[in-house]
Amino acid sequence: MSQIKRLQTIDADTLQSTAYEPVSFVVDDLLPQGLHLLAGAPKIGKSWLALWLCLCAAQGKPLWTFATRPCEVLYLCLEDSFQRIQSRLFDLTEDAPPTLHFAVMSQQLHNGLVEQIEQFLKEHPQTRLIVIDTLQRIRTAGNDANPYANDYRDIGVLKALADKHRIAILLVHHLRKMSDDDPINMISGTTGLSGATDSNFVLRKSKRRENTATLYCTGRDIPYRELALEFDGEDHVWKLLSDNCEQAEQPNEGILFLLSELLRRQPEISASAKVLLEKIDPAGTEGLTPNSFSHRIRKSVDALRRNGITVSFRKSNGDRLICLKRVDGVDDPAAENIVTIDPENPPCFGV
């Protein structure tokens, strides 16, 4: 009799005491690490948006109002030629960085593509974004009797690859022709595609001849938002007209200031949420309870790190301690440009 492989479990107390690396973003508040879909009708401008995204990420320049940090980028433009990509790139910039890489041919999924990407990542370890245009170009024929299983299997392989290397993989895909009140339901294929990704983005025009569209954004690590865009035919960039999340509650700069002041006096401290709150806000001006304060700190570990404060958690004598440490520098090359905390998941917390 073969031995049964035991479940790998973790108890709740250990889980709450474990410090995990926070989710990192290629585009702040919009594109985190993981697997994502960008879907739209044919010829709507998905590839222009994808190319501009790659360029912004490679240059470390903002995508609309969303900050990026420079990284290496791989764009698999599998429906184009190098000549066409060269022409499009010149339309966007005269100074594209060498950290932006292109390929117009690749192996297919389950037939060498993962190994090709693994080799690229080994040669270019600073890569944080891979765009595959289009998903259909890398798929092989599956079992027509169970399309959901095919979709889920393909997405699962790519998600595992993204999670393993802590990178973002964006798949450019199509919409089905049938309209729907929920744009996410218009993504071509079964829910095995849209349901298994970390985020879904749908670029949709209300009328085909218009140069305006809405980018619907939804995901596990980002807030739902709708971005109204207009395509500028002269510089070939989708310009941001409005963001329905821009009126969301602003981050609580007071908490950041109080923590910074505390760590100027004492560069390192470990204490319970109740004790920390009494130290930084004895008068209760911020209106926080120990529980809400602890929640905000946990939700903003990455944002605090970008402002020179590292956070960890541990348990001592039955108390859960928040461990704060002031650092002279952080490993984020753009941190010096950040003057306020950018929320990881607005508007759920304020720090």
Side-chain angles (χ1 to χ4, degrees), residues 8 18 127 227 277:
Q8 299 296 316
T18 301
T127 301
L227 303 176
L277 199 53

Side-chain angles (χ1 to χ4, degrees), residues 137-189:
R137 285 283 183 174
I138 64 168
R139 302 188 74 185
T140 54
N143 179 10
D144 293 337
N146 196 341
Y148 179 90
N150 295 335
D151 288 347
Y152 201 88
R153 176 197 60 176
D154 291 350
I155 289 296
V157 170
L158 293 168
K159 176 164 171 52
L161 181 64
D163 291 345
K164 175 183 177 182
H165 294 282
R166 295 182 61 81
I167 62 174
I169 297 179
L170 179 67
L171 307 172
V172 179
H173 194 44
H174 300 299
L175 295 179
R176 55 187 175 86
K177 293 182 179 180
M178 188 177 298
S179 185
D180 194 287
D181 291 338
D182 184 350
I184 304 302
N185 292 336
M186 295 177 62
I187 295 175
S188 181

Side-chain angles (χ1 to χ4, degrees), residues 13 91 108 111 126 133 144 146 195 210 212 221 242 254 257:
D13 182 63
D91 284 336
Q108 290 186 304
N111 192 29
Q126 299 306 311
D133 188 355
D144 293 337
N146 196 341
E210 291 183 352
T212 57
D221 298 303
S242 66
F257 174 78

